[in-house]
Structure formats: C-alpha cells, structure tokens
Amino acid sequence: SVAFGTTVGLRRVSVVAGNSNDGGGIKNNGELTITDSVVSDNRTSGDGGGILNWQGNLTLDGCEVRANSARSGGGIFNDAPATIVDSMISGNVAATGGGVSTRAALTATDSLISDNIAEQWGGGIDAEDGALTITNVEVSNNTAGMSAGGIRSLGLLTMTNTTVSGNAAQDGCGGGMLLLGSTDIVKSTVSGNSASGELGCGGGMSFRSSPPGFQTLHLSHVTVAENSATWKGSAIFLDPNPIGPF
C-alpha cells in the first residue's frame, strides 16, 4: 500500500497472488510509477484486483496486469488520475470493468487490453466518469455477460489510431463499445464485434445521448466492419432511448 503524500517507483518487480478487501495486489494513495513489471493472480472481494488507484496518481509503463479478479476493475480500479503506456491488461475478471474500471481521468497509449471478462458490463474498460483518452491501443477479445463487450463510456471518450475488435456483449448492446457520453473517434477500426441476446444492439457500437441531445458522436476516418447484432444495428445503433440495461 502506498500512503498519501509519498512517492514510490517500482521497476522490474512482480506483485503476485495478493488478497485483500480492496486492491488485491496494490493500493495507491500517493504518487506511484510502476515500470517493466508484472501484477498478476491477485484478487479482492472489493475493487481493483490487481491495482486500486484510490487517491493518488498512477503511471504504468511497460507493465503486464493479468489474471486478477475483483468486484469491479479486475485488473485496475481507478478513482484518480492514471496513465498507462506500452502495457498489457489481459485475462482479468470482474462483475464490472473486467480489465479496467475508471471513475477519473485515464489515458492509455500504445497498449493492449484483451481477453478480459466482465460478468455484467465493460469487458475491457468500464469508464463511469472522467475523461478517457486512448491512442494506439488494441481493445480485443473482451467479453461482457450483459452489455459493452469492449468499452463502456459514460463520460468524454477520445479515441485515436485504435482497434476495437472481437469483443462480445452476450446479452445487451454495444458489442465493441457502449457510448453514453460525448465521443470523438479518429483513424480507428471497429470490427468483428458482436451483440447478442433478445435485445442485442449495436454490434460495433451503440450510442445514446444521456440526457438526450446533450452529447455528440463524431467519427472521422473510422472503419466499422463485420460486426453483428441479433436485434438492431449490426454496425452502429443510434437511439435516444435504447433498451437497457446500461
């Protein structure tokens, strides 16, 4: 645990098989930078199976966060500013936010978020609040038991040079992405995602403005291809009042 007011750097370390009420591997309330390290096989009955960034600033550079489990944020639960660079978040499991659950500003660059599982929503990323900025990231092969197989975003999402592919929402909307806040996607690909179930909608992405008319969706040089949905919108589903749950 990193205490408030302290600065810690970890390099080439392994944080493995931890177990606690919150932050199975690491709980951060200070200034924490983790470089070229592995956080794996940790678990918690609360939030942040691998890492809980609670009241501090977190930077991951060249790290692997894998095979962790939690109630929310199987790999990482973020409630303060965080930066992820050149890292892999994979094989994590949670009820919501299989890979990452975030409620604060999060920036991810040159990274892979793959093969994570959420029992409910946000297989790869569940962004409840705060700006989410992702650049040169692959979000692939994540699964949600309900909606948002790849990404669930309720706030501002800016996505550039990113691929969202092979993700699945097994019983709801947004196979690749479920978007409820203003979204700007540039030079990216959304492909091979699926939304299943009786009300499966938006195989590639599902967007609604919440509240209606206050949010915008902007796509520029974006490829949306080979996605599927069992109900409506195999590529993109746009609806001011779509069917839940969200």
Side-chain angles (χ1 to χ4, degrees):
S1 180
V2 179
F4 179 78
T6 61
T7 300
V8 175
L10 302 176
R11 178 183 291 271
R12 295 179 182 173
V13 301
S14 295
V15 180
V16 180
N19 186 5
S20 70
N21 291 333
D22 279 305
I26 298 170
K27 183 176 182 179
N28 178 49
N29 288 309
E31 301 285 332
L32 175 61
T33 300
I34 308 174
T35 307
D36 298 332
S37 298
V38 175
V39 180
S40 70
D41 298 284
N42 303 283
R43 60 190 177 93
T44 177
S45 58
D47 300 327
I51 302 171
L52 172 61
N53 186 40
W54 189 241
Q55 293 178 323
N57 288 283
L58 172 68
T59 300
L60 298 182
D61 189 349
C63 293
E64 295 183 21
V65 180
R66 63 174 189 253
N68 304 283
S69 63
R71 175 182 61 194
S72 184
I76 301 170
F77 185 93
N78 183 55
D79 204 38
T83 301
I84 300 169
V85 180
D86 192 25
S87 295
M88 180 177 71
I89 300 169
S90 67
N92 302 285
V93 179
T96 61
V100 178
S101 181
T102 180
R103 298 178 181 174
L106 174 68
T107 300
T109 306
D110 299 326
S111 296
L112 173 66
I113 300 172
S114 70
D115 299 289
N116 301 286
I117 297 173
E119 296 168 4
Q120 298 178 23
W121 51 74
I125 303 173
D126 182 28
E128 290 274 352
D129 200 1
L132 174 62
T133 304
I134 52 180
T135 306
N136 297 328
V137 172
E138 180 181 327
V139 182
S140 61
N141 302 317
N142 302 284
T143 303
M146 294 168 63
S147 57
I151 300 171
R152 176 177 179 257
S153 176
L154 278 69
L156 176 64
L157 169 62
T158 303
M159 190 170 89
T160 307
N161 292 329
T162 289
T163 298
V164 179
S165 66
N167 303 284
Q170 296 181 325
D171 191 20
C173 294
M177 296 184 287
L178 178 60
L179 309 170
L180 288 88
S182 289
T183 301
D184 190 6
I185 304 176
V186 178
K187 295 180 181 178
S188 297
T189 298
V190 181
S191 66
N193 304 284
S194 63
S196 303
E198 183 179 359
L199 299 174
C201 64
M205 65 181 78
S206 180
F207 173 81
R208 77 163 172 178
S209 177
S210 180
F214 282 80
Q215 314 297 340
T216 60
L217 173 64
H218 174 250
L219 307 180
S220 177
H221 298 90
V222 174
T223 299
V224 182
E226 298 181 353
N227 303 283
S228 65
T230 52
W231 183 45
K232 292 185 178 181
S234 59
I236 303 173
F237 182 52
L238 303 174
D239 197 323
N241 296 292
I243 302 298
F246 289 103

